[in-house]
Amino acid sequence: MQVTMTVNGTEVTRDVEPRLLLVHFLRDTLRLTGTHWGCDTSNCGTCVVLVDGEPVKSCTALAAMTDGHDVRTVEGMARNGTLDPVQQGFMEEHGLQCGFCTPGMMLTARALLDRNPDPDEGEIREAISGQICRCTGYATIVRSVQWAAAHPAAATTEQEVTT
Amino acid sequence: MTTVEERSTMPQERESNPAANAADRPIGYGRIQRKEDPRFVRGKGRYLDDIVLPGMLHGAILRSPMAHARLVSIDTTEALAHPKVHAVITGKDLEGLNLAWAPTLSADTMAVLATDKVRFQGQEVAFVVAEDRYSARDALELIDVEYEELPVVIDARRALEPGTAVIRDDKEGKTDNHIFDWEAGDKAETDAVFARAAVVVSEEVVYPRVHPAPMETCGAIADYDPIDGKLTLYETTQAPHAHRTLYAMVAGIPEHKIRIIAGDIGGGFGNKVGIYPGYVCAVVGSIVTGKPVKWVEDRSENLMSTSFARDYIMKGEVAATKDGKILAVRTHVLADHGAFNATAQPTKYPAGFFSIFTGSYDLEAAHCSVTGVYTNKAPGGVAYACSFRVTEAVYLVERMVDVLAQKLEMDPAELRLKNFIRPEQFPYKNKTGWEYDSGDYEPALRMCMEQIGYADLRREQEEKRARGELMGIGVSFFTETVGAGPRKHMDIVGLGMADGAEVRVHPTGKAVVRLSVQTQGQGHETTFAQIVAEELGIPPEDIEVVHGDTDQTPFGLGTYGSRSTPVSGGAVALAARKVRDKAKAIAAAMLETRPEDLDWEKGRFFVKGDPSAAKTIQEVALGAHGTVALPDGIDGNLDAEVTYDPPNLTFPFGAYICVVDIDPGTGKVKVRRFVAVDDCGTRINPMIVEGQIHGGLADGVGMALMEFIGFDEQGNCLGGSFMDYLIPTAMEVPDWETGYTVTPSPHHPIGAKGIGESATVGSPPAVVNAVVDALAPFGVTHMDMPCTPARVWEAMQGRPTPPI
Ligand code: FES
Ligand code: FES
């Protein structure tokens, strides 16, 4: 079957098996390998992407279900060479070690900050509670998101650039 | 010498991050951003499953649904008829290649694909190679296997009972499930101390089976080139060089024709040390089909079949005086190694470094004995940041010290302070043969108590108890033994546990350092650049760190047991110092003086008494490769190579205190606070050090409260997915509070002791001690992990049960 969706601002159309998972569509068909896969049961969140701005576990959606939707992956976070403040925050505050959970964590953080620009620690922890990081113990991820909240400037610049 | 520095964790007060201003960035040790992060935050990491080779096929493994059964027949006809299937490989096929069985890292054998029997649920039975990952899995459904069920051995306590099914009847003459007996310390001396001791406490302490579960599962891509006979094997491995040698020994491919590439690894924690059947099958699949074959396991396969951790049933005993002087410890351990003895550990240490169960205390005697048994469970045992079983040792002694404190009605922190090895006793030889290199324990524990407000918390607890509220304070103090190890004592399958490093300074003064160890997230590209920077004064951003490719790096045993900084860090520092010595001779030639007339300050040599007559390391590099007339015996480069054989292990230590609140209605444990004071000697990048500690603390909370690989009586694995194997999320862990002291290792070139596993080792007893402390009003003296609500509730009813 044919699916058409916007991925990181570009419209793509591909023929896919109806059973193809979104995570495999992104990774194998489009070769956007920043979206990861870590479990069989929707528990780990390494596969999180934004669909119409909301975090979605791409291992639990079929590519066909996102037909006509807007998908954003980690590869689409930086714009015009400017990192998203969330990406910058993760580097500043050591929010990553092996980096495997990082794309999903950052996209969830982006969605949170879009909704709530000044979240408290509890709100950040709750936002990422559907995702597992085996390396960091989460405190530095929380600080990374706080850093991004405190430094929204780069994001503003990007929006200005893209609109 | 020990320096004690207070360290706050308030974000605004944390060590400043000078990255914004490049001029302030430390050239050497200090907090700098990680060199690997720019690619990771852009989604540009290169993990195994991201790699696609031209014409690549995909493998999938058919696994046994039974824990113990005879293989009657395997019919692959239908699978082979699948239009997208290229090959189906069974144990019979491997027998023809002499690959059905492979040696383990513990002088045992393990089945690659089952031939005679299956011995645990999830064991590998057949391997399908197909055009894409979905078709490969489809074809698994088309393989028909007939099994004949056999009695199952799940409880290690019953594995040696007469009449029990013999799991390893493949081994000639094997009539029971016994693997080994091992002991350390002096039994007679220890028994004598126990016989005269005024106080003896004992408990059965179980460290249940858990799993490292890195977020990236294990996998491999084999690419065999039949024309030049070269095998390129991409792997999720923590030990690329050791793997290359083992493949050469087992598969008969000459070692120079094997190249192992480990790209970015999505966490390892010991799970990615061994060679798994899937890797071997991918190699065979590539040879058979003539194409590259990728195999990546799914999460259930990871949890059910790859290296688990722990599974120790320990009878712990402590002998003491009435006023709390600990005299001796002794223990007998039943070690469940699963169906194949495949633990990854030094040859002479079948129970790893468990004999450091004497902990941080000055004792008169100690004795431990360990019996290893086979059961119908997955193989493994040494994994999950355990430092070769120091985890089990620390958990046992720290739990037992609390049992003693409760019995004597003494404060557990005071009891520890009273029994510590004193600073002047270092280097300290313990009763089981370890020589602790350096330590200063009391300041670390006092700092931890101070930081958490110990006295106030005890008062609060008293008030809460009076109101029927359940609050617990858990103390743990650990000493690790890491950085294995001196080659005269330590090898893995005959390979000495040394590591190589090579430093080259290019003509323009930029450098490359090549490592044998393999990062899985620890930040080697940053830390090792900083070590070279510290030694040579070349900025870390000018130093490329190359690792994870056996064709490009010197030989060494890899990253596990917290050995990267202690072993490879030693190699890198010494190689850089060799470069510096050479640079000095060349600088002297350039300055027309003698080397002994030169002084070094980071980054430049200058003539004693005339600081303006100087050459920077960059100028010397150009001179070395240029036209400077070189002194005798010096060739024209700034390169050096060192293989570092550590003289001893290193002994990091730390003091941890955990505060928990328990809901009396549900038994749910909430970790309210956790303060960790660590001493890993020299701290190269404090940000990375702290990150390593945080990760280990989350592990500790996970194991103490949630994580557990259980089995039912039929041998079904009950922890085979993340629905059942529970890992802490951001909701289950607190905001970690940390502090540190610095007691350098006296024998290590840069005084560094390693930090990768300290917190995983040290934190579980702090959490469990807090839980038991909270439950003391119910008469609880011990409860086993995991302290799930249901199990805590049982303990409150006076029925604490072991998990296995
Ligand atoms: S891969 Fe684990 S939740 Fe999607
Ligand atoms: S950084 Fe490794 S899983 Fe999060």
Side-chain angles (χ1 to χ4, degrees):
Chain A
M1 66 179 291
Q2 204 176 59
V3 293
T4 299
M5 65 187 86
T6 307
V7 178
N8 299 330
T10 307
E11 192 178 279
V12 297
T13 300
R14 292 287 189 284
D15 268 323
V16 299
E17 269 193 78
R19 65 172 172 171
L20 184 70
L21 295 172
L22 178 59
V23 65
H24 290 138
F25 177 72
L26 295 169
R27 289 181 52 79
D28 297 346
T29 311
L30 302 184
R31 297 293 295 135
L32 292 171
T33 53
T35 302
H36 298 144
W37 170 91
C39 73
D40 320 314
T41 47
S42 280
N43 288 98
C44 77
T46 59
C47 60
V48 164
V49 297
L50 301 186
V51 177
D52 302 330
E54 285 301 319
V56 164
K57 287 178 171 167
S58 65
C59 70
T60 313
L62 299 170
M65 290 160 70
T66 40
D67 185 50
H69 291 269
D70 180 80
V71 178
R72 191 169 169 202
T73 71
V74 64
E75 289 90 347
M77 285 189 85
R79 294 195 183 161
N80 300 322
T82 309
L83 287 185
D84 189 289
V86 170
Q87 291 172 299
Q88 190 67 38
F90 271 68
M91 294 203 290
E92 297 283 348
E93 294 294 341
H94 195 27
L96 69 155
Q97 290 183 28
C98 79
F100 206 75
C101 71
T102 312
M105 291 286 181
M106 292 193 308
L107 287 161
T108 298
R110 173 42 49 221
L112 169 69
L113 294 177
D114 285 347
R115 199 170 65 233
N116 175 2
D118 189 22
D120 63 26
E121 181 186 336
E123 289 167 329
I124 296 170
R125 285 182 181 268
E126 200 176 322
I128 59 169
S129 65
Q131 290 161 254
I132 300 171
C133 175
R134 202 59 162 149
C135 300
T136 65
Y138 304 104
T140 57
I141 294 181
V142 172
R143 291 177 199 163
S144 301
V145 180
Q146 286 168 335
W147 190 98
H151 298 81
T156 317
T157 321
E158 276 173 28
Q159 276 158 15
E160 282 163 4
V161 170
T162 49
T163 46
Chain B
M1 196 190 75
T2 297
T3 56
V4 178
E5 298 161 65
E6 282 284 355
R7 178 139 189 276
S8 161
T9 53
M10 295 304 291
Q12 65 274 22
E13 288 172 24
R14 275 179 298 121
E15 286 162 50
S16 69
N17 182 355
N21 181 353
D24 293 346
R25 193 177 299 156
I27 297 178
Y29 304 158
R31 180 182 170 128
I32 59 168
Q33 277 185 22
R34 299 199 322 165
K35 287 157 65 87
E36 38 275 271
D37 287 353
R39 68 173 184 274
F40 288 139
V41 299
R42 288 171 174 83
K44 297 290 181 203
R46 200 165 140 90
Y47 303 92
L48 182 106
D49 197 29
D50 301 344
I51 299 167
V52 174
L53 301 179
M56 188 175 81
L57 301 174
H58 294 260
I61 292 176
L62 181 72
R63 292 174 182 277
S64 166
M66 314 263 179
H68 200 192
R70 198 159 298 287
L71 270 183
V72 179
S73 65
I74 305 181
D75 184 353
T76 61
T77 328
E78 253 192 273
L80 276 166
H82 188 290
K84 290 191 172 170
V85 167
H86 286 236
V88 180
I89 297 161
T90 64
K92 279 241 160 1
D93 304 319
L94 293 185
E95 263 177 345
L97 302 164
N98 209 12
L99 280 178
W101 290 82
T104 68
L105 297 174
S106 290
D108 194 3
T109 51
M110 63 174 198
V112 176
L113 292 176
T115 48
D116 54 341
K117 297 199 303 189
V118 289
R119 292 173 170 83
F120 66 93
Q121 188 186 49
Q123 190 183 332
E124 298 79 0
V125 173
F127 187 72
V128 168
V129 184
E131 271 165 37
D132 58 74
R133 61 175 105 222
Y134 286 32
S135 309
R137 298 215 164 233
D138 289 345
L140 295 183
E141 306 283 318
L142 304 175
I143 301 174
D144 198 19
V145 186
E146 197 184 327
Y147 297 97
E148 181 189 306
E149 270 188 78
L150 295 168
V152 169
V153 185
I154 284 301
D155 186 349
R157 296 176 189 86
R158 308 185 63 179
L160 297 178
E161 282 176 4
T164 306
V166 177
I167 297 168
R168 295 303 301 279
D169 48 358
D170 57 293
K171 291 163 89 84
E172 201 147 318
K174 190 79 186 145
T175 55
D176 61 21
N177 295 313
H178 181 263
I179 308 176
F180 67 87
D181 287 310
W182 180 82
E183 62 178 329
D186 188 322
K187 181 164 172 20
E189 190 181 68
T190 308
D191 290 350
V193 174
F194 268 85
R196 66 173 161 77
V199 182
V200 171
V201 289
S202 71
E203 287 283 350
E204 186 187 89
V205 175
V206 175
Y207 207 135
R209 180 175 279 234
V210 289
H211 197 284
M215 294 320 294
E216 177 201 35
T217 59
C218 302
I221 304 169
D223 185 8
Y224 183 73
D225 182 336
I227 297 169
D228 68 6
K230 180 139 185 172
L231 171 68
T232 305
L233 187 56
Y234 301 80
E235 272 191 347
T236 53
T237 177
Q238 302 175 217
H241 286 278
H243 276 209
R244 184 187 66 192
T245 306
L246 289 169
Y247 284 114
M249 288 170 165
V250 173
I253 303 173
E255 194 167 5
H256 67 297
K257 292 288 187 188
I258 302 174
R259 177 183 184 189
I260 308 284
I261 298 177
D264 288 321
I265 310 279
F269 319 111
N271 189 226
K272 293 169 177 167
V273 174
I275 291 178
Y276 292 121
Y279 304 174
V280 180
C281 287
V283 172
V284 174
S286 180
I287 292 173
V288 168
T289 62
K291 299 205 163 138
V293 173
K294 176 190 275 186
W295 169 75
V296 179
E297 66 187 3
D298 66 28
R299 178 56 60 189
S300 294
E301 294 180 283
N302 177 255
L303 288 169
M304 288 171 70
S305 73
T306 63
S307 279
F308 72 93
R310 329 289 190 246
D311 221 344
Y312 260 33
I313 299 171
M314 307 179 274
K315 169 88 190 300
E317 292 177 284
V318 180
T321 64
K322 278 203 188 89
D323 60 354
K325 174 79 191 94
I326 303 173
L327 303 171
V329 292
R330 79 184 162 193
T331 185
H332 176 71
V333 178
L334 198 53
D336 185 338
H337 282 228
F340 308 109
N341 184 21
T343 62
Q345 68 212 344
T347 306
K348 289 182 203 155
Y349 300 82
F353 301 159
F354 179 79
S355 63
I356 192 141
F357 83 117
T358 53
S360 313
Y361 311 108
D362 183 25
L363 307 177
E364 288 178 18
H367 179 259
C368 65
S369 58
V370 181
T371 299
V373 297
Y374 292 118
T375 60
N376 289 119
K377 302 181 192 171
V382 169
Y384 202 172
C386 74
S387 299
F388 296 119
R389 307 259 191 210
V390 181
T391 325
E392 289 92 324
V394 164
Y395 180 65
L396 178 68
V397 65
E398 288 307 290
R399 191 72 273 289
M400 290 310 299
V401 167
D402 259 41
V403 171
L404 177 67
Q406 197 174 350
K407 167 105 175 187
L408 295 175
E409 296 180 355
M410 273 183 77
D411 180 272
E414 291 304 325
L415 180 60
R416 285 174 172 82
L417 287 166
K418 190 176 177 125
N419 286 284
F420 278 151
I421 300 164
R422 295 182 310 280
E424 66 275 13
Q425 289 177 287
F426 291 93
Y428 177 82
K429 190 122 190 181
N430 88 336
K431 292 294 174 189
T432 52
W434 300 99
E435 189 178 293
Y436 295 26
D437 58 350
S438 63
D440 194 357
Y441 296 160
E442 185 175 336
L445 181 50
R446 293 223 182 266
M447 179 188 288
C448 193
M449 292 167 74
E450 175 95 354
Q451 201 167 329
I452 205 157
Y454 190 75
D456 289 346
L457 284 169
R458 284 288 174 206
R459 272 191 293 276
E460 180 192 340
Q461 181 185 36
E462 211 171 302
E463 289 162 23
K464 288 203 160 144
R465 271 198 182 150
R467 295 200 296 267
E469 291 173 38
L470 304 181
M471 166 186 169
I473 305 160
V475 181
S476 144
F477 196 98
F478 68 91
T479 299
E480 274 231 87
T481 177
V482 301
R487 51 187 283 170
K488 64 175 185 288
H489 303 304
M490 291 170 192
D491 69 274
I492 292 185
V493 292
L495 302 169
M497 296 188 75
D499 275 275
E502 184 197 295
V503 174
R504 284 189 198 175
V505 185
H506 303 313
T508 57
K510 316 289 178 188
V512 57
V513 51
R514 297 169 193 276
L515 307 173
S516 55
V517 289
Q518 176 62 41
T519 188
Q520 313 123 45
Q522 297 93 328
H524 286 184
E525 290 165 37
T526 309
T527 300
F528 286 97
Q530 288 185 269
I531 295 174
V532 176
E534 180 75 20
E535 299 296 332
L536 294 181
I538 298 173
E541 59 270 26
D542 288 351
I543 300 163
E544 184 75 2
V545 176
V546 176
H547 56 106
D549 180 345
T550 54
D551 271 8
Q552 289 198 53
T553 54
F555 185 84
L557 279 210
T559 297
Y560 39 84
S562 295
R563 62 191 299 284
S564 291
T565 305
V567 187
S568 197
V572 168
L574 293 180
R577 283 175 199 172
K578 268 191 174 178
V579 164
R580 198 169 70 204
D581 289 345
K582 193 169 180 182
K584 189 176 195 178
I586 297 168
M590 293 169 82
L591 291 164
E592 297 178 346
T593 181
R594 297 175 312 167
E596 50 273 35
D597 294 332
L598 292 182
D599 264 344
W600 166 257
E601 74 177 4
K602 208 190 268 183
R604 67 198 276 271
F605 294 99
F606 61 92
V607 176
K608 285 180 185 157
D610 180 10
S612 64
K615 289 287 171 199
T616 64
I617 187 80
Q618 288 82 4
E619 288 166 335
V620 177
L622 197 55
H625 293 90
T627 56
V628 174
L630 296 167
D632 280 353
I634 301 282
D635 48 5
N637 60 48
L638 277 190
D639 304 350
E641 200 172 339
V642 165
T643 298
Y644 182 66
D645 176 22
N648 186 9
L649 288 95
T650 56
F651 295 76
F653 58 90
Y656 292 173
I657 300 180
C658 173
V659 184
V660 302
D661 298 300
I662 299 179
D663 182 332
T666 64
K668 187 170 176 3
V669 178
K670 167 109 190 120
V671 178
R672 188 205 308 174
R673 285 183 69 195
F674 201 113
V675 175
V677 173
D678 272 272
D679 190 321
C680 62
T682 303
R683 293 153 55 92
I684 296 159
N685 184 326
M687 178 187 86
I688 289 177
V689 168
E690 189 172 323
Q692 295 288 293
I693 294 164
H694 283 192
L697 296 175
D699 293 345
V701 169
M703 286 180 278
L705 302 185
M706 313 160 73
E707 297 180 32
F708 176 47
I709 301 274
F711 293 84
D712 68 12
E713 278 170 15
Q714 283 77 46
N716 294 305
C717 177
L718 304 177
S721 83
F722 281 163
M723 306 273 255
D724 308 299
Y725 189 74
L726 304 180
I727 290 174
T729 71
M731 304 299 279
E732 281 83 35
V733 298
D735 189 14
W736 314 110
E737 301 165 70
T738 55
Y740 67 97
T741 60
V742 177
T743 312
S745 168
H747 65 73
H748 189 267
I750 57 174
K753 290 186 167 185
I755 191 63
E757 301 172 322
S758 285
T760 313
V761 167
S763 58
V767 183
V768 176
N769 285 346
V771 171
V772 174
D773 184 46
L775 299 180
F778 299 91
V780 176
T781 56
H782 173 68
M783 85 164 282
D784 287 313
M785 301 182 276
C787 303
T788 58
R791 294 174 42 75
V792 169
W793 176 259
E794 281 174 2
M796 286 163 63
Q797 315 309 308
R799 296 181 276 113
T801 47
I804 48 173

